Amino acid sequence: MADIGIVGAGPLGLATALLLHRQGQAVRIFDARAADAPLTESRVLALSEGSRQILRSIDAWPERLCTPIRHIHVSQQGAPGRTLMDAAEHGLAALGYVLPARDLIVMLRRKVEAEGIPLHFASPVETLLPDAHGIVLRIAGEDRPQEHYCSLALCCEGSVRNAKDMLTHDYRQRALLCRASIAAPHNNLAYERFTPAGPVALLPLGQDYAVVWTRALDEADALLDAPDADWLAALQTHFGTRVRFTGISERASYPLALKMRVNTVGERTVWLGNAAQTLHPVAGQGLNLALRDAWELADALREASDPGAASVLRAYGRGRQLDRFAAAGFSDALIRTFGSSLPGLPFVRGLGLAALDALPPLRRFLARRMIYGARALP
Ligand SMILES: Cc1cc2nc3c(=O)[nH]c(=O)nc-3n(C[C@H](O)[C@H](O)[C@H](O)COP(=O)(O)OP(=O)(O)OC[C@H]3O[C@@H](n4cnc5c(N)ncnc54)[C@H](O)[C@@H]3O)c2cc1C
């Protein structure tokens, strides 16, 4: 039987390859980037306990590079109501773990290399041509395209492209990222603060905070080329006085949109992670959800004699819909609810946060949902 072809060597493609390799399946990875291209990835990831368990199962959990989140403070600017979530309340050492995506990619690449999984760089897959028994990956070459025949193509290329059945929403927002040094220790406390101009998340990373700061496009564009001192002042004003920032570095920005394939399964093809759904980062769900895609897919393929068989892929696709749509709906609802300026809504949101604070079962449900996905639903 031909091997399984994985398109994309980001964190998801690499982790998927390791999961499948671990259960004895032959895999091969293709990435568009050159082997020696510098890793320009500037995202910082908050990974859940569920993701930690998945990465540990392939011996790829970068324990020493992670900063644990032990408490999360959620609030809204200009209106009452706040809630505090605590890891101990959920019997966990941490509610999440923060690390630079670049560090995770480096660790996963080393692991893939150590396991002897073929990884082809400078190999952009342009076309997928399925037939009854397998699928051809057509790879753009310098002179002429090359082809690789495999049993199944797993698309982990990091964005939704060429989808006929795509749901989209342009938030007209940009995420501004930076690392902020702070005047007092963070004590592993993360913040999610909703403001009329967009949410700000502070994630403890080493001694600093990694900042994910959402702004409307025009406001963000005005800040993009501003000096660090202006960013710092704007961030401080935007976030408020709970934390005092002393400096910023490692600035970057990402445009934000929701893009979602309705079906993630085609003929001998599966789209996973960001290639299946690209979400707003407000709830830090992207890679956590992607790793659940990979875990469930590996499970579906474990006993399959033909991994590309339509019945196997259909069953996997059906099984993922609830988790995917719940995660996308949750992220989208947070942005719409906290971004709306309808009269009376800040008060209602405040009630929601106060209820969350006063009702431990509700808090537990939300925490489990964020950590384990739809499996946490009763
Ligand atoms: C601001 C921001 C904050 C975020 N915060 C979090 C968070 O806290 N927690 C979380 O879980 N998620 C978070 N996410 C989402 C997370 O970053 C993504 O889900 C994750 O990085 C995507 O990984 P990936 O492997 O799917 O894609 P990528 O990392 O984009 O990798 C895709 C790979 O595919 C390759 N490729 C592309 N096209 C081709 C082709 N045609 N042929 C071959 N190779 C190809 C690329 O070269 C690349 O190596 C955040 C996202 C943003 C924007």
Side-chain angles (χ1 to χ4, degrees), residues 105-263:
I105 295 171
V106 168
M107 165 141 193
L108 287 165
R109 268 196 197 176
R110 281 199 197 121
K111 191 83 196 146
V112 158
E113 208 175 295
E115 299 280 341
I117 299 171
L119 169 50
H120 306 273
F121 286 106
S123 301
V125 175
E126 289 201 320
T127 321
L128 303 173
L129 301 165
D131 64 29
H133 308 289
I135 182 163
V136 175
L137 309 189
R138 185 165 288 167
I139 298 151
E142 276 193 0
D143 305 323
R144 60 192 173 86
Q146 295 176 0
E147 295 191 340
H148 179 76
Y149 193 66
C150 46
S151 58
L152 169 66
L154 301 181
C155 299
C156 304
E157 65 235 20
S159 60
V160 181
R161 58 174 183 141
N162 306 332
K164 290 193 196 101
D165 60 344
M166 184 166 71
L167 304 174
T168 59
H169 179 70
D170 185 349
Y171 293 104
R172 309 227 16 97
Q173 289 177 338
R174 192 181 280 285
L176 299 175
L177 313 184
C178 67
R179 196 163 169 148
S181 49
I182 43 183
H186 53 57
N187 296 325
N188 301 86
L189 169 64
Y191 287 93
E192 182 82 70
R193 183 150 176 78
F194 292 93
T195 81
V200 195
L202 302 187
L203 304 171
L205 181 62
Q207 307 294 310
D208 302 330
Y209 271 123
V211 180
V212 184
W213 183 19
T214 304
R215 301 294 305 252
L217 270 187
D218 51 345
E219 296 163 358
D221 288 347
L223 274 168
L224 278 184
D225 297 322
D228 283 358
D230 292 3
W231 259 56
L232 184 63
L235 176 64
Q236 190 72 73
T237 309
H238 194 121
F239 182 77
T241 51
R242 275 200 180 93
V243 173
R244 195 162 78 73
F245 306 108
T246 54
I248 59 165
S249 58
E250 299 176 33
R251 287 164 42 174
S253 85
Y254 281 84
L256 300 177
L258 168 71
K259 289 188 186 164
M260 187 131 188
R261 276 178 186 272
V262 176
N263 286 306

